Amino acid sequence: MKLLLFVTGRGTGGDAVIAYNILKTLESRGIMGEIVLDYSAQGYYFKKHNMSWLKSSIPAAGGHAASKLSLFKAGLKTIKAIIVGCHLIKKEKADGVIGIIGGGSVIGCLSAKLAHVPAVGIVSTPTDTKISLKCNNTILLPESPFFTTKDTINISKYHVKREYLPIREDIVCGDKNNILDKLTDKYDANKKSILFASGSTLFEDMAKAARNYARENDDVNIFVIGAPLHEGINEIIDHPNIINLGYVNYIDDLYDLVDLAVITDDGLTLHETIACKIPVVVVIGVKYGRYHGLSKIFEGAIIESNVDNITYNINKALNDYSSMKRAVSKYSRDILESSEKIIDFISSHII
């Protein structure tokens, strides 16, 4: 049994991590899988794990931030990409396809259709959701517009399942004692710790949120992580009350240290922090104006905020900490089990 995992993007961010987590869960069950990336993808995340990948054409439209123009341009490339993908499936003698988010889902699933092999689409954007629901069995991730739809029977003639993002189960096994020597002398073990993060990349509005909070609060440890999106971001977070850790490779241990996470309302970081039972404040609109409303899905565990009122909402979270901690604990187990549940669904419809 061999499955191809078509993955959108550059092979560096959250989509790559999702694909990797799914692949590893497949392998734990004795199922062979191979990653497929666009010709132009750098694949840094997979290189880090000493993995190779197959190449095909997987045009991107911009995901949740896609414009009509970017969708149109991606659409023009789609027919050729589907044909190339079909040839790859046949060349590799694949038994099925997993299309992972955005272009990975669209091209993977349509290529599988042309190659006459089964596929499962794992979707999160409006475009990939619409196409997957019409073509094959589908897993709806929380960012998909249909995730909160109560009636999944009538939205597709295929089987549909809602599931949280697949994360590493050992994400909850970090130990803060491993990183105490990595922290600056600004760190005070007697104070609560707050993490500001927008993923592996630090976006400007998240940096501004950290700066705004730091200006008014010196009774907590304020950690900021991520590689700056541009050079000016380092100037924003250059503040006596901010501990700038930059890009980190010890996120598990950092999760064990912090009491509250201030992050964006999307992606793996949100799922990881909730799995670690860390209450969350989400700063909306950080990534190109995106808004997913995930506070409705993780009710009671998340408080939404803008950059301008970040101090009020963080202090509200700290005041309501006990109730938020109870709420976030309710979702932890389901998130940790998401990888296995996704593979159960794939197994029942492809294998």
Side-chain angles (χ1 to χ4, degrees), residues 315-335:
N315 289 339
K316 183 177 186 296
L318 293 175
N319 290 333
D320 298 339
Y321 192 80
S322 295
S323 63
M324 289 188 72
K325 188 77 170 178
R326 288 193 297 272
V328 80
S329 298
K330 294 190 302 184
Y331 301 104
S332 176
R333 177 45 52 189
D334 286 338
I335 291 175

Side-chain angles (χ1 to χ4, degrees), residues 63-193:
H64 293 279
S67 63
K68 290 182 179 180
L69 179 60
S70 63
L71 286 170
F72 176 72
K73 289 181 178 179
L76 293 177
K77 301 175 183 177
T78 296
I79 295 177
K80 181 179 178 181
I82 293 169
I83 294 171
V84 172
C86 174
H87 287 323
L88 179 65
I89 293 167
K90 291 182 176 180
K91 177 186 174 183
E92 295 295 324
K93 298 180 181 179
D95 300 291
V97 166
I98 305 170
I100 300 176
I101 303 178
S105 178
V106 172
I107 302 304
C109 292
L110 292 178
S111 297
K113 202 83 171 174
L114 188 61
H116 302 292
V117 299
V120 168
I122 300 176
V123 301
S124 71
T125 75
T127 302
D128 65 12
T129 299
K130 290 177 184 177
I131 292 174
S132 185
L133 290 174
K134 291 179 180 178
C135 295
N136 43 254
N137 301 306
T138 301
I139 293 175
L140 303 172
L141 299 178
E143 294 166 20
S144 168
F146 284 99
F147 188 86
T148 55
T149 301
K150 294 182 179 179
D151 181 11
T152 55
I153 296 176
N154 294 321
I155 64 174
S156 175
K157 67 179 181 179
Y158 299 98
H159 291 96
V160 179
K161 179 176 175 57
R162 301 180 192 85
E163 197 50 71
Y164 297 123
L165 297 187
I167 68 171
R168 295 183 290 112
E169 290 186 11
D170 62 353
I171 196 71
V172 300
C173 298
D175 184 350
K176 61 185 178 185
N177 293 312
N178 294 333
I179 60 168
L180 293 180
D181 60 344
K182 294 182 172 68
L183 307 179
T184 70
D185 55 8
K186 293 181 183 179
Y187 172 68
D188 185 342
N190 297 313
K191 297 179 179 179
K192 285 189 176 295
S193 296

Side-chain angles (χ1 to χ4, degrees), residues 175-199 201-203 205-215 217-227 233-234 236-248 250-264 269 273 278 281 283 310 314 318:
D175 184 350
K176 61 185 178 185
N177 293 312
N178 294 333
I179 60 168
L180 293 180
D181 60 344
K182 294 182 172 68
L183 307 179
T184 70
D185 55 8
K186 293 181 183 179
Y187 172 68
D188 185 342
N190 297 313
K191 297 179 179 179
K192 285 189 176 295
S193 296
I194 300 176
L195 172 67
F196 285 78
S198 49
T201 301
L202 179 60
F203 282 73
D205 276 355
M206 186 58 70
K208 288 180 177 178
R211 175 75 178 227
N212 288 352
Y213 188 72
R215 282 174 178 163
N217 298 272
D218 60 2
D219 57 345
V220 296
N221 298 302
I222 301 173
F223 294 107
V224 177
I225 65 170
I233 289 179
N234 278 330
I236 297 174
I237 57 176
D238 184 12
H239 190 279
N241 296 342
I242 292 177
I243 303 173
N244 178 17
L245 298 177
Y247 181 83
V248 302
Y250 47 83
I251 192 65
D252 306 31
D253 298 324
L254 193 56
Y255 286 152
D256 187 49
L257 178 69
V258 302
D259 300 286
L260 181 73
V262 182
I263 55 179
T264 55
T269 304
T273 50
I278 303 170
V281 173
V283 186
I310 190 67
I314 289 178
L318 293 175

Side-chain angles (χ1 to χ4, degrees), residues 1-4 32 89 92-97 116-119 349-351:
M1 174 62 63
K2 179 179 180 178
L3 304 181
L4 298 186
M32 181 180 177
I89 293 167
E92 295 295 324
K93 298 180 181 179
D95 300 291
V97 166
H116 302 292
V117 299
H349 296 295
I350 291 184
I351 301 167

